[in-house]
Amino acid sequence: MGTWDIGPFDNDTAADFSYRVDEAPEEKRAEVLLATFREVTATGEEYLDSDVAVEAVASAALVAAQCPGGAPVTTSYAPKDPLPPLPPELRPAAVEALDRILTEPSELLELWEESDGEAWMTGVRRLREVLAGA
């Protein structure tokens, strides 16, 4: 995974995921995001692969951007097309996925812990707060 910063779209996997969001018909984009959350939570207590987790963090950022207090996603690596209003039902799914990502065994969590990723963890926790508070 090529990672150049701590943001949700600051890695190759999330940038590639953006293309998948853009390629989906507008009415299916919420389903693309929800699928990432479900893939993460479906791992249960099994080892969570970093690529799956990265896509869910990116999805959570897109959902949080439409919540009160959410930061807009302005990076050029995010989807190019604006997202339609997303259903509020995505928010608890995103929270659940973020909680799983921040719980062992999680490859993405391990990778960030190995590289002093406190700023990344703070960013993910902030996304979670916005999503939970909306």
Side-chain angles (χ1 to χ4, degrees):
M1 170 176 73
T3 300
W4 51 87
D5 209 344
I6 62 169
F9 290 93
D10 293 340
N11 60 77
D12 292 334
T13 302
D16 290 344
F17 171 71
S18 293
Y19 295 121
R20 198 162 78 230
V21 174
D22 279 333
E23 290 174 356
E26 184 174 317
E27 66 277 5
K28 299 287 187 186
R29 290 188 184 149
E31 292 174 29
V32 172
L33 304 182
L34 181 59
T36 67
F37 303 142
R38 287 183 175 159
E39 191 172 358
V40 165
T41 57
T43 62
E45 295 181 16
E46 297 295 317
Y47 191 74
L48 177 60
D49 181 74
S50 67
D51 287 346
V52 173
V54 162
E55 290 181 358
V57 171
S59 294
L62 294 171
V63 175
Q66 293 188 7
C67 295
V73 177
T74 57
T75 177
S76 62
Y77 299 103
K80 306 293 182 236
D81 298 328
L83 291 175
L86 298 170
E89 297 79 35
L90 287 177
R91 296 170 187 170
V95 169
E96 187 178 358
L98 293 178
D99 286 345
R100 175 61 189 87
I101 291 164
L102 292 174
T103 303
E104 293 290 348
S106 169
E107 183 181 22
L108 186 60
L109 177 63
E110 291 171 7
L111 291 169
W112 281 109
E113 286 176 336
E114 290 171 1
S115 62
D116 191 29
E118 190 57 41
W120 173 82
M121 285 183 246
T122 298
V124 172
R125 288 184 196 114
R126 173 72 182 128
L127 283 176
R128 188 199 182 287
E129 289 172 14
V130 168
L131 291 159

